[in-house]
């Protein structure tokens, strides 16, 4: 069985909780991360051992370039509508924190 490929938009705050939960599921792989802060992205990769994940400063680039099945949105709430709309328009599952 192939793994569910998950991307995360936003790597601050609550994103760590989601990463910990997802990493406990053997059928899930976090394959991409998008955050406007390179420092936050790199710290998240180190903390959760996601060196194989694709890193993006723009979530739209992540949606275009990464092979994903679902996206967890952990960005500020004022960005949720547009990001969720873009994810859904790609035909992907979405979880909004």
């Amino acid at each position: 069985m192939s793994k569910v490929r998950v991307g995360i938009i936003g790597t601050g705050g609550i994103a760590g909780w989601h990463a910990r939960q997802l990493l406990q599921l053997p059928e899930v792989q976090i394959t991409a991360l998008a955050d406007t802060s390179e420092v936050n992205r790199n710290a998240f990769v180190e903390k959760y051992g996601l060196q194989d994940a694709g890193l993006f400063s723009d979530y739209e680039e992540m949606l275009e370039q990464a092979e994903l099945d679902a996206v967890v949105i952990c960005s500020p709430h004022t960005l949720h509508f547009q990001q969720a709309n873009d994810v859904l328009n790609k035909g992907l599952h979405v979880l909004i924190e």
Side-chain angles (χ1 to χ4, degrees), residues 12-59:
I14 198 69
W17 185 87
H18 285 284
R20 285 190 303 278
Q21 298 300 313
L22 291 169
L23 290 169
Q24 291 181 16
L25 302 171
E27 65 274 12
V28 173
Q29 180 179 10
I30 299 172
T31 58
L33 303 169
D35 195 300
T36 56
S37 168
E38 182 178 10
V39 171
N40 286 356
R41 284 192 315 266
N42 292 337
F44 199 83
V45 165
E46 288 301 314
K47 184 170 185 175
Y48 298 103
L50 297 171
Q51 286 77 10
D52 293 334
L55 303 180
F56 300 89
S57 61
D58 182 340
Y59 80 92

Side-chain angles (χ1 to χ4, degrees), residues 9-12 14 34-36 73-83 96-97:
I9 299 174
T11 58
I14 198 69
D35 195 300
T36 56
I73 298 176
C74 299
S75 59
H77 71 278
T78 57
L79 304 174
H80 287 179
F81 176 80
Q82 186 62 56
Q83 291 172 344
I96 303 172
E97 177 55 54

Side-chain angles (χ1 to χ4, degrees), residues 6-7 11 28 32 36 42-43 48 67 69 84 87 89-91:
V6 176
T11 58
V28 173
T36 56
N42 292 337
Y48 298 103
E67 293 185 24
D69 300 303
V87 171
N89 282 333
K90 284 289 185 186

